[in-house]
Amino acid sequence: MSSEEDEEYVFLCPECDESLKVNDSMKESLVDRGCVICGTSVTLKAFTKNPAGDSP
Ligand SMILES: [Zn+2]
């Protein structure tokens, strides 16, 4: 009974070190607009798969 599977990725800003869990559309938005915190432009390299998604 969790909706955390929406948040498939972890965003880690290379500029301000902010990290947040995002879903696919948020990921695209961040790549499009830049970091919501500091405004730096980000690439797909700033995202990793959310490890909480498939822990054993
Ligand atoms: Zn940032």
Side-chain angles (χ1 to χ4, degrees):
M1 288 258 203
S2 150
S3 59
E4 284 180 31
E5 59 215 61
D6 268 10
E7 281 136 13
E8 299 180 62
Y9 304 95
V10 177
F11 168 66
L12 177 62
C13 180
E15 186 67 26
C16 69
D17 262 4
E18 184 69 24
S19 72
L20 65 159
K21 293 175 191 165
V22 299
N23 62 25
D24 202 53
S25 66
M26 287 170 73
K27 177 171 71 92
E28 286 174 20
S29 173
L30 281 161
V31 171
D32 197 45
R33 298 164 165 210
C35 174
V36 289
I37 310 296
C38 70
T40 200
S41 59
V42 300
T43 67
L44 292 176
K45 288 183 180 176
F47 298 88
T48 53
K49 270 285 199 183
N50 186 359
D54 57 25
S55 52

